[in-house]
Amino acid sequence: MGRDHRTVITHAVVEQVLREAEGTGVHATGGRDRDAGGRTPTIYADREVVVSAGSIGSPQLLLLSGI
């Protein structure tokens, strides 16, 4: 039983949660992060985005994203 439906990226600092308007609401579509090499790739989610950065990091990330 594999778990091919998710990807975990370690040692990356997320700078922004990307969002998109849909119907009458807005939903998260991915994120922009800074990896160990200083690159800032944009990562898009197929289904859902989970924000889990702790009690200080999660609110900070949401504020930086305009949420």
Side-chain angles (χ1 to χ4, degrees):
M1 180 193 245
R3 298 193 183 254
D4 297 331
H5 63 281
R6 72 177 141 219
T7 302
V8 177
I9 301 170
T10 60
H11 304 291
V13 177
V14 178
E15 296 180 338
Q16 182 180 22
V17 174
L18 303 176
R19 55 200 203 296
E20 182 178 292
E22 179 181 288
T24 60
V26 177
H27 69 279
T29 58
R32 184 172 298 120
D33 72 328
R34 183 170 307 278
D35 62 15
R39 296 178 302 264
T40 55
T42 301
I43 301 167
Y44 294 98
D46 291 333
R47 295 180 67 191
E48 58 189 23
V49 175
V50 177
V51 175
S52 178
S55 60
I56 295 175
S58 292
Q60 179 185 13
L61 176 59
L62 294 174
L63 283 170
L64 289 171
S65 302
I67 299 173

